[in-house]
Amino acid sequence: MKDGFIKVAACTPEIQVADVDFNVDKIISQLEKCREESVKVAVFPELCITGYTCQDLFFQNALLDKAMDGVVKIAKTTADSDMLVAVGVPVRANGKLYNCAAVIQDGEVRAFVPKTHLPNYNEFYEARHFAPYRGECAAIDLREYGQLEFIPPMEQTVFVCEEIPELVVGFELCEDLWVADPVSNYLAKAGATLICNLSASDEVIGKDSYRRQLVSNQSARLVAGYIYCSAGDGESTQDMVFSGHNIIAENGSILAESRLFENGITISEIDFKKLAFERRKISTYPASAEWDYSSKDSGFLDKDNISRERFSLEMGETALTRKIAKTPFIPSNQAERNERCHLILQMQSHGLMKRIAHTHSKTVVIGISGGLDSTLALLVCVMAMDLLKRPHTDIVAVTMPCFGTTKRTRSNAEILCDALGVTFREVDISKAVLQHFEDIGHDFNDHSVVFENGQARERTKVLMNIANQVSGMVVGTGDLSELALGWATYNGDHMSMYGVNTSIPKTLVRHIVQYYGDTCTSDTLRDVLYDILDTPVSPELLPTDESGTEMTQKTEDLVGPYELHDFFLYYGIRWGFEPSKVKRLAKYAFEGDYPDEVIDKWLKTFYRRFFSQQFKRSCLPDGAKIGSVTLSPRGDWRMPSDAVAKLWLEDIDK
């Protein structure tokens, strides 16, 4: 459970209809496997002890008595286990028969949670056998079924973990999710962060896709973990077929999913600290303590008839099996990645289009270096002009070579501008910078920050003054990763009149430029974009070699790999993880790519720079939010510029 991870399982055993002994043995066998895998919450299908498809056999006392014997037998096998288990069983109470989840832990049946919504349409006839739950309570005496001491209630219950208060488990059964107002809505409002669904969803063409979307969307809407466990092989095929479609989701993301028609156990880990963080952050998420609806709005489900029970788990480290993406900002699927890149370009260009139209700018001015960031910004400028139905010549692209400019980047800048048909200008700033060094008494051979920033600020001055010349506005090129690290010269490339890349991390910039190159129709444009993609990232502020072809300054040698920093940014800032947890995830995701000490080194660099460079982010130019992470002081990120990084740096070494 370290760092909030809990291992959970959706289990679909082989069954035989109405053969309780067979079914219970299969359930116990899967529970043993779950125990071996250190699973803490295990969910089984709806009515799995008897089989969902027993039909009128549910009226037989012999079956119902045997089912309760089966519940007791399963409970006894968990006597030395802290695993919270839910199995589906028919339960007699209040003179009716209910479709229930038996919640079991540590040798006891803790509660029977009844099904609220009974499908009675198409192939389903549950109302023939079962009563819907309407808030009534009953105590089920299991002592006659094997001397269990605890008399469990039949009622809607959430289970709160003593050791991990972020873990609150609620249960619903199949149709309870599929209705217009799912039971899980109320469970989440009552504090549940994990919804367990015991289901017997039959398979028809296209239903698996709908089911997947339903589970994913509900977990996102509730900001919760969701275990959906469905019946599989062994149910009667008289009129239906069951595929055992099991899904584990977390806040909209599918963590694990079974193959259809393959009984077995689906396991993953849900991060409950992550869910708790997101709920705290969302101001409209209801606090469970304040949940109070009138009976008119909530029917029988309200805070007074959803009871809260406590349960305990043995603490320990949860071994991770879930996929942790190295590049969390980038979809792994090629088609989804292309769609994402296309959408981002549309968002960037429409944002810039609005700003150009609002300011009545005759031109836009952009510094073009032959690097990735300025290339993406230039492509966005071109798309914005296309949206405005204005010529590309209204874009003034300025290259400003100086001491560190290589022949390759200078050439690529010109080829790119020519291929796009924009107005190209070259302003060599070497003389101006040398004059400035002379004016302030700086030795040219002193390649300190003065040497570098003097060039960066000169370039920004040139762009601003050219913009005045041509009645234009300066478009900034800096990206999100640079903002996080403060890798920008204050009042140099830090400043513009509108920043189009401010919400795009460096790792994603590369894929967007790649996508543009892959989909453009010009061979010349495609070739130059590919060459720019192959060029090392560099500010080119230190002198080149004598030939003028080799860079002597590479950004990632100085501040570290951007794939690591973007990983740190996503998990450390977007999700608020402790640095020690970020480190653990990084070592898991990048195993074999970076030694542990390298990850430690750059993680400390990230936090030092993130804290020390906030003053640059506090006065950023405007720029539209594109993704879930932005550092705009007017939007998602508000931080004092003099905050101290001590706690975060100490946690890395914890």
Side-chain angles (χ1 to χ4, degrees):
M1 281 84 75
K2 180 183 177 184
D3 299 320
F5 290 107
I6 307 294
K7 194 175 292 290
V8 301
C11 309
T12 299
E14 178 189 358
I15 71 154
Q16 292 181 2
V17 178
D19 189 344
V20 173
D21 287 337
F22 179 91
N23 300 341
V24 167
D25 287 345
K26 293 296 183 180
I27 291 169
I28 292 172
S29 177
Q30 288 196 336
L31 280 175
E32 289 299 323
K33 293 179 181 177
C34 287
R35 190 180 305 187
E36 292 171 5
E37 296 292 333
S38 300
V39 168
K40 295 300 182 182
V41 180
V43 184
F44 288 80
E46 181 179 15
L47 296 171
C48 60
I49 286 180
T50 57
Y52 176 79
T53 49
C54 287
Q55 299 189 61
D56 283 359
L57 294 178
F58 284 124
F59 292 130
Q60 297 288 312
N61 284 330
L63 180 66
L64 300 179
D65 288 344
K66 191 65 175 179
M68 298 307 284
D69 286 338
V71 171
V72 172
K73 183 177 180 180
I74 294 169
K76 286 184 174 181
T77 66
T78 69
D80 58 348
S81 171
D82 64 346
M83 185 176 9
L84 193 69
V85 179
V87 295
V89 63
V91 175
R92 288 167 293 189
N94 298 329
K96 299 291 185 181
L97 184 64
Y98 294 87
N99 181 347
C100 290
V103 183
I104 297 167
Q105 191 198 36
D106 196 22
E108 295 288 351
V109 181
R110 301 292 306 276
F112 289 102
V113 177
K115 187 172 184 176
T116 299
H117 301 284
L118 302 180
N120 216 52
Y121 55 89
N122 295 338
E123 65 266 43
F124 299 107
Y125 289 91
E126 286 190 33
R128 179 181 176 91
H129 311 107
F130 299 102
Y133 177 62
R134 289 294 180 263
E136 62 272 28
C137 294
I140 313 300
D141 195 341
L142 295 182
R143 288 175 294 187
E144 61 180 292
Y145 295 97
Q147 307 307 313
L148 289 184
E149 294 300 323
F150 182 70
I151 300 178
M154 187 200 75
E155 61 184 349
Q156 187 54 262
T157 307
V158 294
F159 291 82
V160 183
C161 182
E162 294 272 12
E163 294 76 15
I164 308 171
E166 296 92 346
L167 173 59
V168 182
V169 187
F171 300 89
E172 63 183 355
L173 287 87
C174 201
E175 189 77 4
D176 290 345
L177 168 64
W178 298 69
V179 296
D181 190 15
V183 170
S184 47
N185 289 355
Y186 298 92
L187 297 174
K189 291 173 185 176
T193 53
L194 175 61
I195 306 298
C196 302
N197 188 309
L198 294 75
S199 177
S201 178
D202 65 324
E203 203 60 55
V204 295
I205 295 298
K207 193 174 183 180
D208 62 321
S209 178
Y210 182 83
R211 188 187 297 116
R212 185 181 303 110
Q213 293 175 12
L214 187 66
V215 171
S216 172
N217 290 342
Q218 186 68 349
S219 72
R221 185 177 297 108
L222 301 182
V223 192
Y226 203 106
I227 307 173
Y228 187 93
C229 183
S230 193
D233 184 39
E235 291 286 357
S236 172
T237 58
Q238 181 179 19
D239 291 298
M240 295 180 285
V241 64
F242 296 84
S243 66
H245 190 190
N246 294 340
I247 305 167
I248 299 175
E250 176 189 278
N251 194 22
S253 298
I254 302 295
L255 300 182
E257 182 177 7
S258 66
R259 292 173 61 91
L260 298 186
F261 302 103
E262 291 186 6
N263 288 5
I265 304 174
T266 303
I267 295 177
S268 191
E269 302 81 41
I270 295 177
D271 187 346
F272 289 96
K273 286 192 174 182
K274 179 180 179 182
L275 295 171
F277 170 85
E278 190 72 350
R279 286 188 177 185
R280 291 194 303 270
K281 190 176 180 182
I282 298 173
S283 61
T284 53
Y285 203 94
S288 58
E290 299 172 356
W291 180 42
D292 191 7
Y293 294 109
S294 68
S295 58
K296 175 182 177 181
D297 293 330
S298 63
F300 59 88
L301 279 173
D302 61 30
K303 69 177 183 179
D304 294 324
N305 59 23
I306 296 181
S307 65
R308 295 172 71 85
E309 297 289 338
R310 296 192 175 276
F311 72 104
S312 184
L313 292 177
E314 183 180 345
M315 297 299 290
E317 182 166 336
T318 301
L320 297 180
T321 62
R322 61 185 279 178
K323 180 177 176 57
I324 302 295
K326 296 178 185 178
T327 51
F329 292 104
I330 303 166
S332 57
N333 178 272
Q334 179 70 50
E336 185 181 350
R337 186 161 63 244
N338 288 344
E339 183 178 350
R340 178 79 55 85
C341 291
H342 175 77
L343 176 60
I344 290 171
L345 285 166
Q346 292 293 318
M347 295 172 71
Q348 289 177 285
S349 56
H350 276 78
L352 180 58
M353 174 190 70
K354 166 66 176 177
R355 183 52 56 95
I356 294 170
H358 176 74
T359 57
H360 304 288
S361 297
K362 293 182 179 178
T363 65
V364 293
V365 177
I366 181 172
I368 187 76
S369 66
L372 274 174
D373 288 345
S374 64
T375 295
L376 176 57
L378 180 59
L379 296 174
V380 171
C381 290
V382 167
M383 293 179 66
M385 287 302 179
D386 289 342
L387 291 170
L388 291 165
K389 296 181 171 31
R390 289 173 54 175
H392 294 180
T393 50
D394 284 354
I395 302 167
V396 180
V398 185
T399 185
M400 294 163 282
C402 200
F403 315 124
T405 305
T406 62
K407 294 178 181 178
R408 179 183 187 181
T409 54
R410 166 61 181 80
S411 174
N412 280 342
E414 186 168 4
I415 295 170
L416 178 66
C417 292
D418 183 62
L420 293 170
V422 304
T423 301
F424 179 73
R425 290 182 62 172
E426 178 176 342
V427 178
D428 191 319
I429 64 170
S430 302
K431 291 182 179 179
V433 173
L434 287 172
Q435 182 62 55
H436 179 62
F437 288 165
E438 182 180 338
D439 292 343
I440 66 172
H442 181 76
D443 184 355
F444 178 83
N445 294 312
D446 177 5
H447 295 165
S448 63
V449 67
V450 177
F451 184 90
E452 297 186 41
N453 287 352
Q455 299 170 71
R457 292 194 177 100
E458 181 64 29
R459 285 179 172 136
T460 300
K461 182 178 73 173
V462 168
L463 292 174
M464 293 289 184
N465 290 336
I466 288 178
N468 290 155
Q469 281 183 333
V470 296
S471 300
M473 58 179 286
V474 176
V475 174
T477 63
D479 63 48
L480 179 65
S481 306
E482 292 177 344
L483 290 175
L485 294 168
W487 193 251
T489 299
Y490 192 85
N491 207 34
D493 52 312
H494 158 257
M495 192 48 58
S496 67
M497 296 166 184
Y498 193 77
V500 294
N501 292 339
T502 54
S503 191
I504 314 295
K506 184 77 77 176
T507 49
L508 186 53
V509 168
R510 178 172 296 278
H511 285 275
I512 300 172
V513 173
Q514 177 81 49
Y515 167 77
Y516 198 101
D518 291 343
T519 56
C520 70
T521 57
S522 166
D523 291 339
T524 302
L525 179 56
R526 183 182 304 108
D527 289 344
V528 72
L529 290 177
Y530 288 171
D531 194 63
I532 290 170
L533 285 163
D534 288 336
T535 304
V537 177
S538 172
E540 294 192 322
L541 295 173
L542 294 180
T544 64
D545 65 353
E546 292 182 1
S547 68
T549 59
E550 291 296 327
M551 293 177 179
T552 58
Q553 186 182 33
K554 296 179 181 178
T555 298
E556 291 181 297
D557 291 343
L558 302 171
V559 295
Y562 274 116
E563 65 176 351
L564 284 180
H565 286 306
D566 285 356
F567 186 94
F568 302 154
L569 173 65
Y570 182 78
Y571 289 107
I573 305 305
R574 165 62 181 92
W575 289 108
F577 289 177
E578 302 92 333
S580 55
K581 183 174 179 178
V582 176
K583 178 170 71 171
R584 178 189 178 190
L585 294 183
K587 291 178 178 179
Y588 176 75
F590 291 98
E591 185 178 7
D593 295 336
Y594 298 101
D596 289 356
E597 59 271 18
V598 170
I599 291 175
D600 285 358
K601 172 187 174 181
W602 295 124
L603 183 59
K604 290 177 181 178
T605 296
F606 174 83
Y607 279 104
R608 285 194 195 100
R609 293 194 64 96
F610 189 84
F611 274 79
S612 68
Q613 301 295 297
Q614 172 62 27
F615 72 98
K616 295 178 183 177
R617 298 188 292 268
S618 293
C619 53
L620 282 179
D622 290 356
K625 177 179 178 178
I626 300 296
S628 62
V629 184
T630 179
L631 297 175
S632 168
R634 298 169 296 277
D636 290 35
W637 189 253
R638 304 179 189 199
M639 171 183 171
S641 299
D642 46 11
V644 178
K646 179 184 176 185
L647 289 176
W648 287 261
L649 294 174
E650 287 177 348
D651 190 70
I652 295 173
D653 294 324
K654 185 170 65 175

